[in-house]
Amino acid sequence: VQQNVRPNGASVTLDTVVLSEGTLAPVWHSDVTPAGKRRVAFASDRVRGTATDTGGVESSVDAAVPPGALDFSAASTFARLLPFAPGYSVVLRTYDIHRGPVPYPVRVLGEEMIDVGGKQVKAWKIETITAGQPVHHWIDQATRKELRVSLTMGPTQMIMERMP
């Protein structure tokens, strides 16, 4: 479950994903955004469910899903589990419940020592591409926890850091 909240406490999005314990394949996905809500279930090579717009108009969702596709909303979590090494790169096959199939490139940029709560931690610096924009992630080499994320949206750079 991921909830994005504005500084005033108002919820912007609520995204819930259920994955298969054995395979990490998507099973169920629901999200609520200012544009409406969507609830879908994955079964073999299809995703089916409903989409409701802000006026309450409901429509059916029924689309093909590429074999082996991961849920796009969990892609950064999957990326942390990859066998990083200098120069490593891969493209994950993902499926976004709004956009359909979306390739998710992951590339190791290097290793860096970063400060986390006054402690120096050795991290992998990786780059992913989301909506055509590079996103940089610093992943703790020992625990695989995401320590920092940096992305630029127009003139704004957003940096999120894990609190100790």
Side-chain angles (χ1 to χ4, degrees):
V1 175
Q2 178 178 335
Q3 183 176 21
N4 296 313
V5 180
R6 290 193 174 118
N8 67 1
S11 180
V12 178
T13 64
L14 180 60
D15 203 20
T16 305
V17 178
V18 175
L19 306 174
S20 170
E21 182 178 351
T23 65
L24 300 180
V27 174
W28 182 82
H29 190 141
S30 171
D31 81 358
V32 179
T33 71
K37 60 185 176 180
R38 190 170 286 238
R39 294 174 62 100
V40 296
F42 292 80
S44 60
D45 63 348
R46 301 209 65 79
V47 61
R48 292 182 175 98
T50 58
T52 308
D53 67 18
T54 54
V57 177
E58 188 175 285
S59 59
S60 294
V61 174
D62 184 359
V65 176
L70 303 167
D71 192 296
F72 179 80
S73 290
S76 67
T77 299
F78 295 129
R80 295 190 338 237
L81 306 175
L82 295 170
F84 296 144
Y88 177 84
S89 68
V90 68
V91 177
L92 299 177
R93 182 181 303 165
T94 70
Y95 186 87
D96 182 286
I97 67 169
H98 295 278
R99 298 178 292 163
V102 177
Y104 189 78
V106 179
R107 180 170 60 115
V108 173
L109 299 178
E111 299 175 74
E112 292 185 8
M113 296 297 291
I114 66 169
D115 183 79
V116 178
K119 286 179 55 179
Q120 290 293 301
V121 177
K122 191 171 186 179
W124 291 110
K125 181 179 181 184
I126 68 168
E127 179 180 80
T128 61
I129 305 294
T130 300
Q133 299 298 312
V135 180
H136 296 115
H137 309 255
W138 286 260
I139 310 299
D140 186 316
Q141 288 188 0
T143 66
R144 291 303 177 122
K145 289 180 181 175
E146 189 170 61
L147 303 173
R148 180 182 298 156
V149 179
S150 173
L151 63 137
T152 301
M153 298 177 289
T156 304
Q157 182 179 26
M158 182 168 65
I159 299 173
M160 297 169 281
E161 293 190 333
R162 182 177 202 68
M163 302 302 291

